[in-house]
Amino acid sequence: MPAELIDGVAIARQIRDEVACDVQRLAQRGIVPGLTVVLVGDDPASAVYVRSKGKATDEAGMHSVTIRLPADTMQATLLAQVDALNADPLVHGILVQMPLPKQIDADAIVRRIRPDKDVDGFHPVNVGKNLIGERDGFVPCTPAGVQELLVRSGVETRGAECVVVGRSNIVGKPMMALMLQNAAGANATVTVCHSATRDLAAHTRRADILIVAAGRPRMVTGEMIRPGAVVIDVGINRVADASARSGYRLVGDVDFESAREVASLITPVPGGVGPMTIALLLRNTVRAAERLA
Ligand code: NAP
């Protein structure tokens, strides 16, 4: 029987509704959560992401500001902008959209954001808190979204063999830290694979929960999946498709058709992990406002 789909659109909507309730509750105390996104340059993909973040923030009843800076902005100017946002009491969450132009040291920018306003969860203080399992930091939105998908789909994570493919700082590593904690929705035995992993399929075939974030279209096929496994596909890749009006379509890092025949639960692309990232960004912003109030 083909796998059931995990509906990321519906679960993200649930979280956004919860966030909207939290926003109303804060409004009674005179607090409006504020998210400021800084976009440097005119990368078209970044502009699309920033627009949808702004729209979702507005819809949730939050205060949303986008600051657009030219592509030739110098590092000192961007640092000064971050300092101003750090000091602004109306700004609870700060997000500097990546990638940044090459004259800017992205690590220096991330380190300058106040950890208690770092709703992306990339500041080393938040990275450390996630690793040691402290709950008062911010977890990066995509891995936090994956964990929510598992929990809200009723997947048993305790004691599960969880294999993560990919070790990036924004997905794979924080995903590992989350699933490893002795906590609800975690407590798994975690294996992390990367491009130097000797026999990838030998690892993926052991997984009860397989989370793939490799940036390689359809890399994980059905034969690499254990029958009955839960498969979470984080990948978003554009592949050429002459039949599509845009000339391309989006596929994941998992070969959906063959994986669906083997897995018990699987996320589609699009409509799986993607919508969760913005929902978790909104939730992080509300939490920032609650903590800073
Ligand atoms: P990334 O920084 O390029 O990292 C990819 C990781 O996959 C690296 O650790 C790499 O190993 C590993 N890898 C690549 N080829 C591999 C192979 N053949 N076997 C095993 N491991 C391999 O990518 P990312 O930023 O983590 O993103 C991953 C995917 O998720 C992309 O498709 C991206 O578009 C998508 N994404 C989606 C969302 C969302 O909202 N849904 C958010 C973020 C990212 P090495 O470290 O050895 O190079």
Side-chain angles (χ1 to χ4, degrees), residues 28-52:
Q28 286 162 10
R29 294 164 52 197
I31 300 161
V32 182
L35 173 68
T36 296
V37 178
V38 183
L39 175 62
V40 185
D42 36 35
D43 175 56
S46 295
V48 172
Y49 290 138
V50 166
R51 256 201 310 279
S52 50

Side-chain angles (χ1 to χ4, degrees), residues 6-282:
I6 297 180
D7 185 347
V9 175
I11 296 175
R13 171 48 60 199
Q14 231 174 46
I15 294 174
R16 286 168 67 162
D17 289 347
E18 291 163 13
V19 167
C21 288
D22 291 341
V23 170
Q24 279 177 10
R25 203 170 28 78
L26 283 169
Q28 286 162 10
R29 294 164 52 197
I31 300 161
V32 182
L35 173 68
T36 296
V37 178
V38 183
L39 175 62
V40 185
D42 36 35
D43 175 56
S46 295
V48 172
Y49 290 138
V50 166
R51 256 201 310 279
S52 50
K53 284 169 187 166
K55 192 164 162 268
T57 315
D58 284 334
E59 271 174 28
M62 300 191 200
H63 184 57
S64 147
V65 175
T66 301
I67 296 172
R68 292 183 167 78
L69 299 173
D72 61 356
T73 298
M74 296 311 293
Q75 170 144 331
T77 310
L78 185 54
L79 286 171
Q81 180 64 74
V82 170
D83 289 341
L85 296 173
N86 281 340
D88 185 340
L90 296 180
V91 176
H92 303 104
I94 303 169
L95 188 155
V96 178
Q97 183 65 42
M98 302 290 162
L100 288 167
K102 56 182 180 319
Q103 75 276 13
I104 295 176
D105 173 359
D107 286 342
I109 303 300
V110 169
R111 282 166 171 70
R112 191 70 155 243
I113 297 171
R114 271 173 58 165
D116 53 2
K117 293 191 177 189
D118 167 42
V119 287
D120 247 348
F122 296 155
H123 189 287
V125 166
N126 286 318
V127 174
K129 285 187 174 187
N130 187 27
L131 189 61
I132 61 180
E134 270 186 29
R135 305 282 188 104
D136 64 344
F138 293 107
V139 175
C141 304
T142 300
V146 169
Q147 189 181 37
E148 284 291 341
L149 286 179
L150 293 171
V151 169
R152 292 177 192 241
S153 304
V155 175
E156 177 61 90
T157 54
R158 185 174 188 278
E161 291 288 334
C162 176
V163 175
V164 179
V165 183
R167 60 174 164 190
S168 72
N169 290 333
I170 65 166
V171 188
K173 283 182 196 155
M175 194 75 248
M176 170 208 72
L178 268 181
M179 297 309 294
L180 191 60
Q181 301 306 321
N182 184 356
N187 224 350
T189 303
V190 187
T191 303
V192 183
C193 303
H194 45 79
S195 65
T197 296
R198 216 178 304 137
D199 184 352
L200 181 64
H203 294 282
T204 58
R205 276 194 209 109
R206 284 192 302 102
D208 300 312
I209 300 171
L210 178 61
I211 302 170
V212 189
R216 299 275 182 274
R218 302 193 189 102
M219 185 187 79
V220 171
T221 55
E223 62 195 21
M224 297 167 73
I225 296 170
R226 172 178 174 156
V230 175
V231 178
I232 307 286
D233 188 353
V234 182
I236 303 177
N237 309 287
R238 275 185 180 197
V239 295
D241 180 355
S243 69
R245 213 174 341 140
S246 55
Y248 70 85
R249 69 192 168 98
L250 297 180
V251 299
D253 292 347
V254 174
D255 179 48
F256 183 79
E257 298 309 327
S258 62
R260 197 179 180 187
E261 295 305 316
V262 188
S264 61
L265 274 175
I266 188 167
T267 55
V269 176
V273 177
M276 297 296 287
T277 300
I278 288 186
L280 272 291
L281 174 67
L282 300 179

